[in-house]
Structure formats: structure tokens, C-alpha cells
Amino acid sequence: MATHPTDRSPGGTSAVACPVCDAPMTRRKAWLYACPACRFLKADLPPGGGADVEGLDALRRENFEVVLDRLEPLVRSDKPRLLDVGCARGIFLDAARRRGIAGTGIEPDADAAAAAGRAGHDVRVGFFPEAVEPGKRVDIIGFNDTFEHLPDPSAALDVCRRLLEPGGILILNLPNSGGIFYRTAAVLDRLGLSFPLERLWQVHLSSPHLSYFNPQNLTRMAERHGFAEVGRGRLKTVRITGLWARMRAGPSPPLPVAGALYLGVVVLAPLLRLLPRDIILHFYRKR
Ligand SMILES: [Zn+2]
């Protein structure tokens, strides 16, 4: 996956092989590759571990309860141990602890990790998988909005397989390239309006997205690394409370444009649940 492209022109095939299906990926933009066979998308952007986007805490708390509701019936261990990858300030660890799941976290942002530590969580500062304690074994690994930040998701799945006990569960909660937001942004990008697509990839933020999956290619990749899909869930993308802060975080469009987008989302929010979902929530069991 770390091979260098031989053809730098947009639209050309490259020496970058798709990590899902091995097909040569096509260069779509200066920083974006797409697999014509399975639709996996990969960004050629610098990895980072910045603090999380503001304005999302209330939405996260609500969604994490949904994640745990779906997780609990899948767990076989009586005293399950969780590894939360990119735990930020420990909101998921908090919610898991309330349900009797003992968790540890890893988090690249030292301030966020310290906050999680103050909440009583055992958190190691650093990136996955380097920051994982040697010899660690767990029953559950969770990636909540973090898997898409990994430079090598394929290698990460191999590490997850090694860390998990037999029958252990991997939670992948990440943005969906088949969702209505991504599809709309891709159309606008083709029409010359690039900032919605750049915003979805977090191109100008400290921690850009490095890959974008859809439900099909994510499961295909997981199966290739010894996992079987055992469940899916549906999470909310938009919660009006906090939306404005979220839209204004980082470089954003001019105020009138942001205002128009905000109003559009507020008006369309009730319709979003009828459209292709923007978040993938999949549960995989180690085979
Ligand atoms: Zn592919």
C-alpha cells in the first residue's frame, strides 16, 4: 500500500493497489485515489492525531449507547475487556464502564488522553498499533471514527486479529462513501465545488481521513483478514444541537454559505433517515 504512484495525472491508473481487492487504483484528484472495482477510496494526505471535531459530544454519547446496545448480545466473555482505539476524552470508555465492560484506551492527543485519565481510565498516549501494550489480549476492539484515520487499514485488521481472544468482537464505526453526504459532495466536486468533499475528508484539519469505505468493501476487507460480519447498526449523522460548532470547526466556507448549508441540513434532517446512511456501524467476530 505504501508504493509510490507512477502516474500522477488524474484519471490514470497508478501503482497503488487497492487494499480491499488488489485492483490498481485510479487517481481522482491530486490527493485522492479510487478503486474502480470495489469503490474503496484512499487519500494521499499526511496522517495526524489532532483533537476531535468540536460540537459532536452530544451526538457521540447518544450513538455510543446504540453501539453498546448492539454489542452486548454479541459478547461471549463474562468479564469482557475492551480496547478503545482513539478514545479521545474517554466518552465511549465511560459508557462501556457503566455497563460493566472494563476498557483501556489509546489516544494520540496527549491532552485528550489526560482528560480520559482523570475520568479514571487507563489510556496510553500514541498511535495504533504502536501504542498497544505488548502482549495485550482483549475481547472487544472499538474504532469509533478512528479507523478512517489509519494509514494502513489492512495491517490494522491483522493486528486486531492478533489482539482479540477467540470469538472476540471488532467494532468499526466510520463514515460511509455510499451515504448521501458523500455522494452529494462527490457530485458537487465534479461541478467544481470542492469544499464539501474536502471537508468530509478533513483535508485541511490536523487529522484527515485517509480512507473511505462503503458497507460492502469494508466487509470484504474484514473477511480477507479473518473476520465474519455478525451485526450492523444504524447511527445518527446529524443532531441539530452542536451542528453549528461542528460546521465552523476548522477552515470553513464563507459565513453566508455555511449559514445556507446549516439551514439546508436543519430542514432536511428528518429526511436523512430515509436516504443511504452516512455512517457504517459493523460488528465483526474473529473467526
Ligand atoms: Zn478495490
Side-chain angles (χ1 to χ4, degrees):
M1 203 55 209
T3 50
H4 292 285
T6 50
D7 181 350
R8 306 288 291 183
S9 62
T13 53
S14 70
V16 177
C18 173
V20 178
C21 74
D22 297 329
M25 297 188 79
T26 305
R27 195 178 186 89
R28 283 273 177 81
K29 299 173 80 70
W31 51 271
L32 181 63
Y33 293 92
C35 175
C38 76
R39 298 186 159 194
F40 170 74
L41 296 153
K42 170 190 156 57
D44 188 6
L45 295 168
D52 50 351
V53 179
E54 281 175 43
L56 281 172
D57 273 9
L59 180 66
R60 285 216 173 99
R61 284 203 170 83
E62 202 174 317
N63 278 339
F64 287 164
E65 296 302 327
V66 176
V67 173
L68 290 162
D69 284 346
R70 299 286 288 116
L71 170 72
E72 280 188 321
L74 299 172
V75 176
R76 289 173 179 166
S77 167
D78 293 337
K79 289 184 176 173
R81 292 153 304 157
L82 158 75
L83 174 66
D84 187 9
V85 179
C87 65
R89 282 156 294 145
I91 299 176
F92 188 63
L93 289 170
D94 285 339
R97 183 168 57 190
R98 284 196 293 273
R99 297 182 188 226
I101 299 171
T104 57
I106 60 174
E107 168 56 43
D109 186 271
D111 292 340
R118 284 193 295 276
H121 300 296
D122 172 15
V123 176
R124 291 168 75 98
V125 179
F127 288 92
F128 183 85
E130 295 79 14
V132 179
E133 202 180 329
K136 191 168 183 72
R137 302 276 282 175
V138 291
D139 305 289
I140 307 155
I141 300 177
F143 288 86
N144 290 300
D145 296 314
T146 51
F147 196 71
E148 68 275 23
H149 296 277
L150 300 174
D152 190 344
S154 187
L157 289 175
D158 285 335
V159 175
C160 288
R161 214 175 137 36
R162 287 202 297 275
L163 291 170
L164 282 170
E165 298 284 5
I169 296 290
L170 173 66
I171 308 165
L172 296 181
N173 162 11
L174 68 172
N176 179 4
S177 66
I180 191 65
F181 282 0
Y182 195 93
R183 289 182 191 205
T184 304
V187 169
L188 292 173
D189 181 67
R190 264 175 246 127
L191 297 173
L193 189 63
S194 298
F195 77 77
L197 190 71
E198 290 176 358
R199 189 66 184 77
L200 285 182
W201 281 93
Q202 303 189 177
V203 169
H204 305 291
L205 298 184
S206 61
S207 188
H209 293 171
L210 302 181
S211 57
Y212 242 104
F213 289 88
N214 65 29
Q216 295 74 35
N217 59 32
L218 184 66
T219 287
R220 188 168 170 186
M221 184 188 243
E223 285 174 348
R224 210 174 159 171
H225 293 271
F227 289 93
E229 189 185 320
V230 288
R232 291 188 179 194
R234 175 151 210 158
L235 298 178
K236 277 193 197 170
T237 315
V238 175
R239 194 174 187 279
I240 302 307
T241 311
L243 176 63
W244 183 250
R246 189 179 166 190
M247 286 181 66
R248 300 298 293 168
S252 50
L255 198 59
V257 179
L261 283 173
Y262 176 75
L263 281 178
V265 173
V266 169
V267 169
L268 292 174
L271 293 174
L272 286 176
R273 50 191 294 276
L274 306 173
L275 297 167
R277 58 189 72 182
D278 290 288
I279 302 177
I280 300 171
L281 172 59
H282 283 184
F283 298 84
Y284 296 99
R285 194 184 299 283
K286 176 178 170 176
R287 283 203 302 259

